[in-house]
Amino acid sequence: MDCIRLIDKYYHDSPELRHILLTHSEQVCRRALEIGQQLVAQGQTVDLPFIEEAAMLHDIGIIFCNAPRIYCVGTHKYIEHGFLGAELLRKEGLPRHARVAERHTGSGITIDQVIREELPIPVQDYCPETIEEKIVCYADKFFSKSHLGEETAPQKVRETIWRYGHDAVLRWDAMEEMFAAGKRV
């Protein structure tokens, strides 16, 4: 699959946002592939080509959101970008990629969190389940779209995840345990 062609289909009129999306996605992709390769070397079954594609497309829904700092001039709240990207990817015939898009926010979003916080997304579970979903979710947290080129330290990521609550931190800690460099699954 040609991920760049798919991104260009939706971002051709937004060159600044396209640059941010591609830069961020390439950073996430590199980290996700490193993690995936480490797991394969440890004997785990990981779909590396899928991880590459999913990492490149996980944020495709930001074009629909309002986040002027990163040139997003859509009408939806930023928290919706995963769900909106998933809808787009399903429309493109990519249901597996869609699951990654909708499950990468924070360390995942639970049904309880959607209800409690009255999030503007359908009430369902958005927590990563497959190893590939977890890898992309984890890798994404190290790279901000508003600070391109910078990498966030794991402890800083954990502090940021706290805003989503104790359960979110527990999910993060589990991913950190699985994927941190040098640790075995």
Side-chain angles (χ1 to χ4, degrees):
M1 175 203 324
D2 187 344
C3 294
I4 304 300
R5 181 177 292 163
L6 183 57
I7 289 169
D8 285 346
K9 178 178 178 180
Y10 294 94
Y11 285 75
H12 65 276
D13 288 335
S14 304
E16 296 93 350
L17 182 55
R18 178 187 179 278
H19 170 73
I20 289 169
L21 174 64
L22 285 176
T23 302
H24 168 74
S25 297
E26 288 166 352
Q27 291 174 307
V28 171
C29 184
R30 278 192 298 277
R31 170 63 66 87
L33 285 172
E34 288 172 4
I35 293 166
Q37 289 163 351
Q38 288 174 356
L39 295 176
V40 167
Q42 295 171 10
Q44 298 288 319
T45 301
V46 179
D47 187 341
L48 295 175
F50 173 72
I51 285 177
E52 182 174 13
E53 294 169 359
M56 289 302 296
L57 298 174
H58 76 282
D59 270 334
I60 198 163
I62 64 174
I63 191 125
F64 303 114
C65 299
N66 184 340
R69 263 185 13 189
I70 58 169
Y71 302 98
C72 295
V73 294
T75 58
H76 293 271
K77 293 182 179 178
Y78 196 78
I79 191 73
E80 297 176 83
H81 79 279
F83 171 75
L84 295 168
E87 284 187 330
L88 182 153
L89 292 169
R90 284 189 181 97
K91 184 177 84 174
E92 291 289 337
L94 302 168
R96 193 169 167 217
H97 298 74
R99 283 181 50 95
V100 173
E102 73 187 4
R103 294 169 183 268
H104 81 276
T105 303
S107 61
I109 301 172
T110 64
I111 292 172
D112 290 342
Q113 188 178 355
V114 173
I115 294 168
R116 182 178 62 251
E117 296 178 22
E118 299 179 356
L119 298 178
I121 54 180
V123 177
Q124 66 182 45
D125 185 78
Y126 297 93
C127 291
E129 295 174 344
T130 69
I131 192 73
E132 292 85 2
E133 291 167 3
K134 290 175 182 178
I135 289 170
V136 175
C137 177
Y138 178 78
D140 178 57
K141 301 301 141 325
F142 294 96
F143 305 102
S144 164
K145 286 177 281 301
S146 58
H147 296 96
L148 291 178
E150 296 178 21
E151 184 170 337
T152 306
Q155 185 57 34
K156 181 68 175 167
V157 172
R158 191 173 193 276
E159 291 168 13
T160 302
I161 296 289
W162 263 112
R163 69 180 160 183
Y164 300 109
H166 181 70
D167 289 344
V169 172
L170 292 176
R171 287 189 304 276
W172 168 259
D173 288 346
M175 286 189 280
E176 177 73 5
E177 181 66 27
M178 284 191 289
F179 304 137
K183 293 187 179 178
R184 299 187 66 79
V185 175

